[in-house]
Amino acid sequence: SRVVDEKERNATAYHEAGHALVQCVLPDADPLHKVSIIPRGPYGGASFSLPEKDRHNFSEKFLRAQIRILCAGRLAEELVLTDVNTGASADIRQATDLARKMVTEWGMSSKIGFVYYGDDVAKQTNWLDLPGGHDYSPVTAERIDQEVQRILDEAYTDTRRVLQENRDKLEAIAQALLKYETLEAVDFFGNGASPVY
């Protein structure tokens, strides 16, 4: 029942089209199930994946694909509408969290290495439990921040390339969303393996 003005609806269509397109293009991402610009709670729309199997572990390639999908909504808006809004805050938070865990918990950074730097390290020190405390130096904290930023910057740059190379498909998906509001996977693929939009 939420009323959405046309400018916001247009931005949402390009945002969700960006997520959907990048999810379809990246081989290491879960398959797209459907995408919608019908508002849900605080979100203007949503893209849904359909995992092919239950996962107990996540590969680095899968995580990097996820970060690119998360970047795609904001980048699609920026590319087409030459403006951005606050709608990508959850995507930014989730992408940053994944990149930080890759570096601090999952050993997926060659510069930081096979070391655990997660937040609960400080809690192992029983005599001192300060919030935000870490069991590593400020120099290491800076290196961690640099690695997280590098992962996000690489994803952002690569996602921009994917969207620019597929600009016609991005436009077609966004226009179809504006017309139909919800698209199913079959609308993207027909009987083939690449997006028909």
Side-chain angles (χ1 to χ4, degrees), residues 14 68 116 127 140 142 151 153 183:
Y14 281 101
R68 282 158 175 73
Y116 181 84
W127 62 274
T140 300
E142 185 175 345
I151 289 170
D153 288 347
L183 301 173

Side-chain angles (χ1 to χ4, degrees), residues 126-145:
N126 293 332
W127 62 274
L128 182 62
D129 189 13
L130 298 174
H134 297 292
D135 196 20
Y136 49 86
S137 72
V139 172
T140 300
E142 185 175 345
R143 287 176 56 222
I144 289 169
D145 288 343

Side-chain angles (χ1 to χ4, degrees), residues 65-91:
Q66 288 304 110
I67 292 171
R68 282 158 175 73
I69 293 164
L70 290 163
C71 292
R74 164 61 68 86
L75 275 165
E77 291 179 50
E78 184 182 309
L79 181 67
V80 178
L81 306 174
T82 65
D83 195 11
V84 295
N85 60 53
T86 59
S89 66
D91 296 334

Side-chain angles (χ1 to χ4, degrees), residues 20 23-24 26-34 48-53 55 62 66 69 185 189:
Q23 187 161 0
C24 289
L26 297 180
D28 297 305
D30 279 331
L32 181 72
H33 175 56
K34 74 176 167 180
F48 302 94
S49 62
L50 191 60
E52 294 177 318
K53 60 183 178 181
R55 279 194 179 86
F62 173 80
Q66 288 304 110
I69 293 164
F189 301 108

Side-chain angles (χ1 to χ4, degrees), residues 7-187:
K7 186 175 180 182
E8 185 179 339
R9 188 171 181 271
N10 200 43
T12 300
Y14 281 101
H15 184 103
E16 295 305 330
H19 286 314
L21 174 62
V22 171
Q23 187 161 0
C24 289
V25 169
L26 297 180
D28 297 305
D30 279 331
L32 181 72
H33 175 56
K34 74 176 167 180
V35 58
S36 175
I37 60 168
I38 297 171
R40 286 168 168 72
Y43 304 109
S47 297
F48 302 94
S49 62
L50 191 60
E52 294 177 318
K53 60 183 178 181
D54 288 338
R55 279 194 179 86
H56 302 288
N57 293 301
F58 301 101
S59 74
E60 184 174 349
K61 288 180 180 179
F62 173 80
L63 293 168
R64 290 183 184 274
Q66 288 304 110
I67 292 171
R68 282 158 175 73
I69 293 164
L70 290 163
C71 292
R74 164 61 68 86
L75 275 165
E77 291 179 50
E78 184 182 309
L79 181 67
V80 178
L81 306 174
T82 65
D83 195 11
V84 295
N85 60 53
T86 59
S89 66
D91 296 334
I92 295 167
R93 188 181 319 114
Q94 192 175 351
T96 304
D97 185 54
L98 284 177
R100 186 162 296 280
K101 285 181 177 176
M102 288 172 70
V103 172
T104 62
E105 296 182 26
W106 300 329
M108 294 178 179
S109 163
S110 58
K111 290 187 179 178
I112 300 300
F114 191 71
V115 181
Y116 181 84
Y117 287 118
D119 286 338
D120 64 342
V121 171
K123 302 216 181 318
Q124 295 172 3
T125 310
N126 293 332
W127 62 274
L128 182 62
D129 189 13
L130 298 174
H134 297 292
D135 196 20
Y136 49 86
S137 72
V139 172
T140 300
E142 185 175 345
R143 287 176 56 222
I144 289 169
D145 288 343
Q146 288 170 351
E147 273 298 275
V148 170
Q149 189 66 59
R150 183 188 62 78
I151 289 170
L152 293 171
D153 288 347
E154 283 179 4
Y156 208 73
T157 299
D158 189 48
T159 305
R160 184 188 304 276
R161 176 194 59 78
V162 169
L163 291 172
Q164 288 172 332
E165 289 175 359
N166 294 279
R167 176 76 183 262
D168 57 333
K169 290 178 179 160
L170 176 68
E171 187 66 42
I173 294 166
Q175 292 307 313
L177 281 169
L178 288 167
K179 183 175 182 179
Y180 301 111
E181 294 190 322
T182 299
L183 301 173
E184 304 285 335
V186 70
D187 298 322

